Amino acid sequence: MSAWLQDLQDDFLISLYSCLTPKPVSAMDPEYSVLFFSKYDAKKLVAALTMFSQRFSYVPLSPEWNMIFINGLWEKMLQVPDIDSPPVLSQWVHEGLQPFLVEPKVFACLRAKNVFCETFQKIVAALNGIYSDLPVEQQRNLYTGIKYYLIEDGSNRKCYNAAVPGLNSTAWFENYLGAFLEHATVGDLQLFGDEATLQKFARDPVNIQMISNLTLLHETAVYYTLLLTSGPDFPLSSLPDRFVCYLSPSAVSNLSRDDALTLAQRISKNCPLNLTHRGITRDSAPSSLTTEELQVASSLVRKFEHFTPAILRALGQAAVGLSISDIENSISDKDLEASIAALGEVRGWNAEQSGTIINKLLSSGYQIQNGQSLAKLGSLVAGFNSSTLRSLSPEVILEAIKLPEFVQHIATLPSSLKMIFVEKISSSVGHPADLVKYIPDALASYIPKSLLVFGEEKPNILDLNNKKWTREQAAMFFSDVMKAEPDFSRLSQSVLQGFTCAATNEMEAERFQELAKVMKKKNVKLGEDQLSCLVKLVTLHGIPKDLDSYPKDLLLFLSPSDYAATGSCRQYFANIGKANLDVLQRESSQRKELLSEALACLKISSTQVNKENAEILGRLVCDLSGEYIRSSGGNLLKQLSQCDSFLPDQEEAIRSVISSGNTTFGAPAAWSAFTLNVLSGLIPVFDHSILQKIPKNALTLWLKNFAHDSALSREQLATIVEELLPTRHKRADGCPPNKQITDMVLNSDLMPIEYTAEELHTCLKNVSLDNHLPQILTYAFSIQQLTVLKSHLDETYPDGYPESLLRKLGSLVSFVTPEDISKWNITSADTLADLLKYEPADAQAAAIIRRYTDLGNALNANALNAIGTRYICLLNVTELNMIDPNSLKLASLNPSACSQLTKDILYPKAKRAFSDQHYLPAYYELIKPYLGGAPGMDLKALSKDNVNMDVSTFANLRRDSVLSLTISEVENLLGRNLGDLKKWQHKSPIWEWVQMQKQSELDKLNIGLTGGTQEGYINIVARKFESTSSASLGTVAMTLHLLPALLISFLMMLVLS
């Protein structure tokens, strides 16, 4: 046997593996593997393994056959001469065993074979040599295997014993984890040793050198830094640069002034700013610094009583720790102006800090005479109030935005200031092409879409490509772009998302598929109406045989049989599972049909879904009923955690599965902070019975280290806070000494779990929240705690909140009463925007808008944008009539869901606003949101413009307007989307329109419409007596007057037939 083995080609292992894997593992005894590979010449085997490794390095092997192969390969490797030498071992690991080692269970096999720590250390060293070449998933799998080996018997300090030579090295992280430490959680580290041992490891110079080049998980980096700094005798000067970003306030409390300045300079140099805060954008977050970063900065700043320009420059980024009191009282006007350049480079100012600095500068005589003096302010520009910024000339703004050092700070401005910048720039630029050219990228999405209509002007494609647009903006110029740029691949993702059906009228049919393929390469995301149109264009001459070359979302509008020429139904649904399923409405017939076909394809006849099928189903798992979730145990949790929302029966099933503990995550009582992070998408589903079982320290650690990166809302996080607060409340006689509310406390996002509602009430006495309100209202306070905060403000301002406070109310807006609102003085659209930004209930929003208009404020473009689509339907007739048509031109609204009366009032205003663009292709996109109020004559005119109206828009038109259209007009109005009328034919007013048409004429459309009038018959469609919009009383009276004559005609025809 041995002789012919040596004659085998190097690809023999590939053939052998491919032959064996379809067979059950029982087909081969594992010992045969040992015997087989023992006969193989080592050099020939390495050559065969090298070829095998190249083929399967990124392809998961069968876990069962993997174990059989590794069983024999490992024994053979141990027989190789000099296998203990790093070069020989490294060759085997690098060139041969890599595909086998990424299965974590392999390391259990190594434990079973009693692989010694010394040998294992060499294996880790060899794997460490290829770490940077591995995909993240393989790195993670290998780390899981390494961890399995080190902790399998449950003993801490595996491969470490201070009394045993060879096992007493404290360079343990380097020896047994290497770069794989990047995937270790805090919980993992605590499995490797107790805190005293881990501190020895952490402080070992070899380990410190290694971690200075690694990027640890955030919570692990914080913990590692704590291990280094919590004990005595560790100088912060020895801390690797990247770990100064994770210091705790206690680590810097005893520094001298000089050491504080030195550390501040290291922080400025090495610590990048986080771009999000609690899963929300910087626009909503007053500061994007973590609690620890703010507290460390405050600790460093407190070393000084007065701040000279030299100290402020040296503090650098740490100057963000300045309190309002510091700014007002500890920096002279002269020193503040001399420090503008340094303070303008600081990132993460909250609104109160930057506002206080700006106000102090302006009141002391600082002049903004040109773009240079504005740009010099840098990040401090966020402190401008709207009226001050509006007072600047457009020329000053234009000059400033041409300076790169200023533009980088624009992205962090609040929306209200961004819109003012756009107003100023657009007022001084005459043409859309110039506006696009000069506008900074961070402001592009704030340009009113009506200002992006090019008309006869040719767009500059390069300028458009260099900006990020919204889908509605890009739709304005998509038709112009199609004419100007023949090479679709030169268009950016942002431009391509503006695809409109109307823009394809002048395109050659053979180019539709080319356009769709480019969209796939650029990962362009389209909406339902866009995809519905695009799929018709792509399949115009039949279903393509290479559907994998097209956007996955297109498959949502095709079937497995359409995909048959491209691949199997499993491939089809694997793609569907990765598509944006939310393009289709949750309970739509299309989504239900997709799920039904998927279950049939995967042969899932029962309600139990295994992990493999769950991976294929992907987002379709979100549509499985509670029965499937229960029956599948924990198999679906990974996919369910990605779902946006659940139905009640799904939520109940998820809770049942989680509570059982029969999942890979175990019982909630055994969860760690890392477990919570993995399952964070399901936290909103957890009820009290689950949350109370999760260890309190795990919940606290998760809130501290993970919550700021989660997508959970403040309200959802508050449910966790409620679990951490004591259930029995002691009556507070006074604020305990250790509960005094200081600036340090107010800067901590863990404040909600440190104070019960009673303690908060007692300890807030004599504390001013004004300067901290925007910051603390991002914290996860419970409803009871928020009620206390609201009461505190009521006591402070019994005659009503000042307008300066209204803009800081944030989530407290939901707690205000009509009586509160009646006391407010809302004088600007900016204040209105700040009050509505946190989406109060309709009744509160309506009262706020009414108070704004009652005080004589105009419903201009800024006010309408503040009201937005969410609240536009709340306006009454008086308020609607206040709107000037020109304001609609600069507002972004969609009143299609409003009452007919609202749509009837707004349509003529919108028509007047966009009248100067009526002859342009973009006119339809501008007027489209308002078409629900259009009379029939306007729709008839629109039918001549090849607009390709989508059927969802058509179904929302005025009933009387639709009924006035002829078949030919409807055909022209819908264009490429005419075929969709069949799916919607039973929806009003389409059904009434169909009934009024002759069936013979409907048949000529060839789209399968039925229900029309047969020859010799009359369909009498019952009209609804709608409000002022549908039919006038005169029309109704005329209809009643003619009814007897119509009945006589009908009876005569019946007799004659």
Side-chain angles (χ1 to χ4, degrees):
M1 174 179 175
S2 181
W4 70 261
L5 272 175
Q6 312 318 317
D7 295 330
L8 292 173
Q9 299 298 313
D10 290 346
D11 64 354
F12 172 69
L13 273 183
I14 296 175
S15 303
L16 177 65
Y17 181 80
S18 302
C19 174
L20 289 173
T21 46
K23 297 178 171 45
V25 288
S26 56
M28 179 186 282
D29 189 313
E31 291 306 313
Y32 288 164
S33 170
V34 176
L35 178 63
F36 177 81
F37 287 115
S38 68
K39 303 296 183 181
Y40 225 122
D41 176 73
K43 290 183 179 178
K44 292 280 292 181
L45 184 54
V46 168
L49 281 169
T50 300
M51 184 172 287
F52 184 92
S53 180
Q54 290 169 350
R55 169 76 178 274
F56 289 100
S57 59
Y58 301 120
V59 179
L61 303 180
S62 157
E64 294 80 8
W65 281 104
N66 187 354
M67 297 295 283
I68 290 176
F69 270 65
I70 198 70
N71 192 49
L73 289 167
W74 188 262
E75 294 297 330
K76 178 63 182 180
M77 187 185 79
L78 294 179
Q79 300 168 13
V80 173
D82 300 322
I83 191 61
D84 285 340
S85 69
V88 176
L89 180 62
S90 181
Q91 182 187 21
W92 273 80
V93 171
H94 288 205
E95 299 176 18
L97 299 183
Q98 180 198 325
F100 300 98
L101 292 174
V102 293
E103 169 54 50
K105 290 181 182 176
V106 163
F107 288 84
C109 176
L110 301 187
R111 283 299 302 269
K113 291 178 178 294
N114 293 318
V115 173
F116 294 121
C117 290
E118 292 85 346
T119 304
F120 189 76
Q121 182 179 330
K122 293 172 183 175
I123 294 169
V124 171
L127 291 171
N128 204 42
I130 58 171
Y131 178 85
S132 59
D133 299 326
L134 298 173
V136 173
E137 190 63 30
Q138 284 200 17
Q139 292 174 0
R140 196 175 291 121
N141 285 342
L142 281 166
Y143 167 71
T144 303
I146 291 169
K147 181 176 74 171
Y148 196 97
Y149 172 89
L150 292 171
I151 66 169
E152 188 191 19
D153 60 4
S155 64
N156 280 2
R157 294 178 291 182
K158 172 68 182 173
C159 291
Y160 175 75
N161 190 324
V164 178
L167 292 180
N168 61 354
S169 170
T170 54
W172 194 90
F173 291 144
E174 162 82 9
N175 294 339
Y176 296 103
L177 293 173
F180 294 94
L181 185 61
E182 290 190 327
H183 299 283
T185 66
V186 171
D188 292 344
L189 295 187
Q190 291 168 341
L191 291 172
F192 299 143
D194 56 35
E195 192 155 313
T197 304
L198 290 174
Q199 194 165 58
K200 289 181 189 175
F201 294 168
R203 292 185 169 198
D204 184 276
V206 174
N207 289 334
I208 289 177
Q209 177 62 38
M210 178 187 74
I211 61 146
S212 65
N213 297 309
L214 299 182
T215 304
L216 303 185
L217 297 174
H218 181 270
E219 63 146 357
T220 307
V222 171
Y223 183 66
Y224 199 108
T225 306
L226 192 64
L227 289 173
L228 288 171
T229 59
S230 59
D233 307 324
F234 185 85
L236 289 185
S237 58
S238 300
L239 190 68
D241 281 343
R242 65 173 57 191
F243 284 84
V244 299
C245 310
Y246 305 106
L247 283 166
S248 63
S250 60
V252 302
S253 58
N254 296 319
L255 293 179
S256 67
R257 289 186 179 187
D258 289 343
D259 287 342
L261 288 180
T262 301
L263 179 60
Q265 289 167 335
R266 291 180 71 194
I267 289 173
S268 297
K269 181 180 178 182
N270 296 289
C271 302
L273 182 70
N274 294 321
L275 297 178
T276 59
H277 181 86
R278 286 213 179 286
I280 53 180
T281 63
R282 184 177 173 82
D283 215 32
S284 306
S287 170
S288 41
L289 300 172
T290 65
T291 290
E292 288 78 12
E293 288 169 332
L294 284 170
Q295 290 178 337
V296 166
S298 297
S299 295
L300 295 175
V301 163
R302 279 203 303 273
K303 307 292 180 186
F304 306 91
E305 294 175 1
H306 298 284
F307 300 90
T308 64
I311 290 175
L312 290 171
R313 281 195 297 272
L315 281 173
Q317 178 59 36
V320 78
L322 289 167
S323 67
I324 303 301
S325 176
D326 291 332
I327 297 167
E328 290 176 340
N329 306 314
S330 301
I331 310 174
S332 70
D333 293 348
K334 181 181 176 182
D335 286 345
L336 186 64
E337 185 166 344
S339 306
I340 288 175
L343 296 176
E345 289 300 314
V346 175
R347 303 152 299 163
W349 295 116
N350 64 40
E352 281 61 45
Q353 289 172 308
S354 57
T356 304
I357 293 173
I358 288 293
N359 290 338
K360 186 168 182 174
L361 280 170
L362 295 177
S363 62
S364 66
Y366 183 77
Q367 298 284 319
I368 302 174
Q369 298 174 328
N370 52 39
Q372 293 283 349
S373 54
L374 176 62
K376 188 178 177 183
L377 294 171
S379 60
L380 296 173
V381 172
F384 275 104
N385 60 45
S386 300
S387 57
T388 305
L389 192 57
R390 281 200 175 93
S391 69
L392 300 180
S393 72
E395 290 73 27
V396 169
I397 304 286
L398 272 177
E399 183 184 346
I401 64 169
K402 292 177 183 176
L403 301 172
E405 65 271 20
F406 178 68
V407 170
Q408 65 176 322
H409 295 293
I410 290 179
T412 63
L413 296 180
S415 294
S416 57
L417 296 188
K418 286 181 178 177
M419 287 190 279
I420 295 171
F421 268 97
V422 171
E423 284 176 32
K424 291 287 183 181
I425 297 167
S426 60
S427 69
S428 59
V429 175
H431 301 283
D434 290 335
L435 180 58
V436 170
K437 179 180 180 180
Y438 294 122
I439 202 87
D441 186 33
L443 299 178
S445 62
Y446 290 85
I447 299 176
K449 60 184 181 180
S450 62
L451 300 184
L452 292 169
V453 178
F454 284 84
E456 302 301 322
E457 188 179 2
K458 187 176 180 181
N460 184 306
I461 303 300
L462 185 60
D463 288 341
L464 287 172
N465 279 338
N466 287 334
K467 303 293 190 311
K468 290 184 176 66
W469 308 104
T470 66
R471 188 181 293 166
E472 290 74 21
Q473 286 176 315
M476 293 297 104
F477 49 75
F478 188 79
S479 182
D480 300 312
V481 167
M482 289 292 98
K483 296 171 187 172
E485 179 52 77
D487 186 353
F488 300 145
S489 65
R490 292 181 186 169
L491 300 177
S492 71
Q493 178 193 57
S494 185
V495 169
L496 287 168
Q497 69 171 335
F499 168 81
T500 64
C501 222
T504 64
N505 289 326
E506 298 178 33
M507 281 178 60
E508 298 168 1
E510 57 270 17
R511 304 211 64 202
F512 297 147
Q513 294 186 353
E514 180 188 343
L515 174 62
K517 288 180 177 180
V518 170
M519 288 179 170
K520 156 84 172 185
K521 289 177 183 174
K522 307 249 179 176
N523 195 28
V524 177
K525 300 300 180 187
L526 301 177
E528 180 177 10
D529 295 334
Q530 293 172 304
L531 289 165
S532 177
C533 173
L534 187 60
V535 79
K536 296 182 187 78
L537 301 175
V538 165
T539 59
L540 204 58
H541 301 301
I543 306 294
K545 296 181 179 179
D546 58 343
L547 283 174
D548 285 345
S549 303
Y550 295 86
K552 282 184 172 64
D553 292 352
L554 273 190
L555 298 179
L556 295 168
F557 298 83
L558 296 170
S559 66
S561 58
D562 294 329
Y563 188 80
T566 301
S568 67
C569 72
R570 287 178 71 88
Q571 286 175 264
Y572 170 79
F573 284 110
N575 285 322
I576 288 288
K578 295 170 187 170
N580 179 19
L581 203 61
D582 292 330
V583 163
L584 305 176
Q585 291 184 10
R586 178 71 188 262
E587 292 291 294
S588 67
S589 57
Q590 278 175 283
R591 275 180 70 151
K592 290 178 179 177
E593 189 176 349
L594 278 171
L595 180 61
S596 175
E597 290 176 331
L599 296 175
C601 165
L602 299 175
K603 297 181 172 57
I604 301 173
S605 53
S606 68
T607 54
Q608 189 169 8
V609 181
N610 60 35
K611 283 190 176 181
E612 183 184 355
N613 284 336
E615 288 285 347
I616 293 171
L617 288 171
R619 293 295 298 274
L620 278 172
V621 165
C622 301
D623 288 7
L624 289 172
S625 69
E627 192 177 355
Y628 280 91
I629 295 170
R630 272 195 194 83
S631 302
S632 304
N635 292 343
L636 307 180
L637 292 182
K638 177 182 174 183
Q639 287 73 30
L640 288 170
S641 66
Q642 306 300 315
C643 302
D644 294 327
S645 62
F646 300 103
L647 299 174
D649 82 307
Q650 291 177 309
E651 291 186 351
E652 191 179 332
I654 291 169
R655 287 192 285 268
S656 175
V657 170
I658 291 290
S659 299
S660 73
N662 296 324
T663 71
T664 54
F665 303 103
W671 287 0
S672 66
F674 188 73
T675 312
L676 278 169
N677 195 45
V678 173
L679 292 173
S680 62
L682 298 178
I683 287 177
V685 177
F686 298 168
D687 59 8
H688 174 67
S689 67
I690 292 175
L691 289 171
Q692 70 175 349
K693 294 174 186 173
I694 302 171
K696 296 283 191 275
N697 63 339
L699 288 169
T700 304
L701 193 62
W702 182 82
L703 276 174
K704 185 176 180 180
N705 293 325
F706 291 109
H708 52 80
D709 290 325
S710 82
L712 300 187
S713 67
R714 192 206 60 75
E715 291 78 10
Q716 290 169 330
L717 292 171
T719 60
I720 295 179
V721 167
E722 289 174 358
E723 290 300 323
L724 292 170
L725 292 170
T727 52
R728 292 184 180 178
H729 307 305
K730 295 180 181 178
R731 184 176 180 82
D733 298 325
C735 185
N738 63 335
K739 293 279 186 175
Q740 296 295 322
I741 295 178
T742 62
D743 282 354
M744 183 76 83
V745 171
L746 291 168
N747 278 334
S748 171
D749 55 4
L750 293 182
M751 185 181 175
I753 64 175
E754 293 164 354
Y755 292 84
T756 64
E758 288 76 9
E759 288 171 338
L760 203 57
H761 175 73
T762 306
C763 296
L764 275 175
K765 288 177 180 176
N766 303 319
V767 174
S768 173
L769 292 179
D770 288 17
N771 294 327
H772 295 276
L773 207 55
Q775 179 77 26
I776 67 174
L777 287 178
T778 64
Y779 302 163
F781 285 113
S782 67
I783 291 175
Q784 292 81 4
Q785 290 170 319
L786 287 173
T787 303
V788 169
L789 293 176
K790 164 75 165 49
S791 298
H792 178 76
L793 293 179
D794 291 344
E795 292 169 11
T796 308
Y797 302 103
D799 298 325
Y801 305 159
E803 186 165 21
S804 59
L805 186 66
L806 295 182
R807 302 195 63 179
K808 305 173 186 177
L809 280 183
S811 52
L812 284 185
V813 172
S814 300
F815 292 80
V816 299
T817 65
E819 185 183 353
D820 292 329
I821 296 169
S822 68
K823 299 176 184 177
W824 293 352
N825 188 28
I826 309 173
T827 63
S828 75
D830 297 325
T831 303
L832 180 66
D834 284 323
L835 288 169
L836 298 180
K837 181 166 62 177
Y838 289 88
E839 301 187 350
D842 285 356
Q844 290 163 313
I848 291 169
I849 295 168
R850 207 127 302 142
R851 180 63 178 164
Y852 172 80
T853 56
D854 287 348
L855 290 171
N857 297 298
L859 286 176
N860 55 24
N862 292 324
L864 290 176
N865 280 322
I867 292 167
T869 296
R870 178 178 171 86
Y871 296 122
I872 190 65
C873 301
L874 300 180
L875 299 188
N876 59 34
V877 173
T878 303
E879 290 160 346
L880 289 168
N881 286 327
M882 288 172 59
I883 298 172
D884 182 85
N886 288 327
S887 297
L888 286 182
K889 193 167 187 175
L890 300 176
S892 180
L893 300 172
N894 186 347
S896 58
C898 296
S899 69
Q900 190 59 56
L901 178 59
T902 297
K903 290 187 279 192
D904 288 345
I905 294 173
L906 287 177
Y907 174 76
K909 292 176 181 285
K911 181 182 176 183
R912 206 172 315 139
F914 305 124
S915 59
D916 59 334
Q917 294 161 320
H918 185 271
Y919 65 98
L920 298 172
Y923 173 75
Y924 172 66
E925 296 299 327
L926 290 168
I927 201 69
K928 180 178 171 182
Y930 302 93
L931 285 176
M937 61 184 295
D938 285 5
L939 296 179
K940 290 173 184 287
L942 206 58
S943 70
K944 300 171 184 176
D945 294 339
N946 295 321
V947 296
N948 291 313
M949 181 183 286
D950 56 88
V951 73
S952 59
T953 300
F954 183 74
N956 278 313
L957 297 176
R958 259 170 53 169
R959 184 175 183 273
D960 63 315
S961 299
V962 170
L963 297 183
S964 73
L965 298 175
T966 66
I967 289 179
S968 174
E969 287 164 345
V970 169
E971 184 176 16
N972 292 333
L973 199 59
L974 298 180
R976 299 188 190 281
N977 296 312
L978 181 66
D980 293 338
L981 209 55
K982 169 66 178 173
K983 300 175 191 172
W984 290 65
Q985 73 169 23
H986 294 296
K987 180 177 174 65
S988 179
I990 296 174
W991 177 239
E992 290 93 325
W993 178 83
V994 168
Q995 289 178 297
M996 288 181 62
Q997 312 308 313
K998 289 183 178 179
Q999 185 60 47
S1000 59
E1001 294 299 314
L1002 291 175
D1003 291 340
K1004 292 177 183 177
L1005 295 177
N1006 295 316
I1007 58 172
L1009 284 180
T1010 57
T1013 305
Q1014 298 297 331
E1015 293 298 330
Y1017 290 85
I1018 297 176
N1019 273 356
I1020 299 178
V1021 179
R1023 299 187 71 104
K1024 297 177 183 175
F1025 286 84
E1026 300 183 36
S1027 58
T1028 59
S1029 63
S1030 292
S1032 68
L1033 289 175
T1035 306
V1036 174
M1038 180 65 73
T1039 305
L1040 293 172
H1041 177 71
L1042 293 174
L1043 190 56
L1046 289 169
L1047 287 171
I1048 291 170
S1049 299
F1050 174 68
L1051 290 170
M1052 287 182 65
M1053 289 182 67
L1054 191 64
V1055 171
L1056 291 172
S1057 64

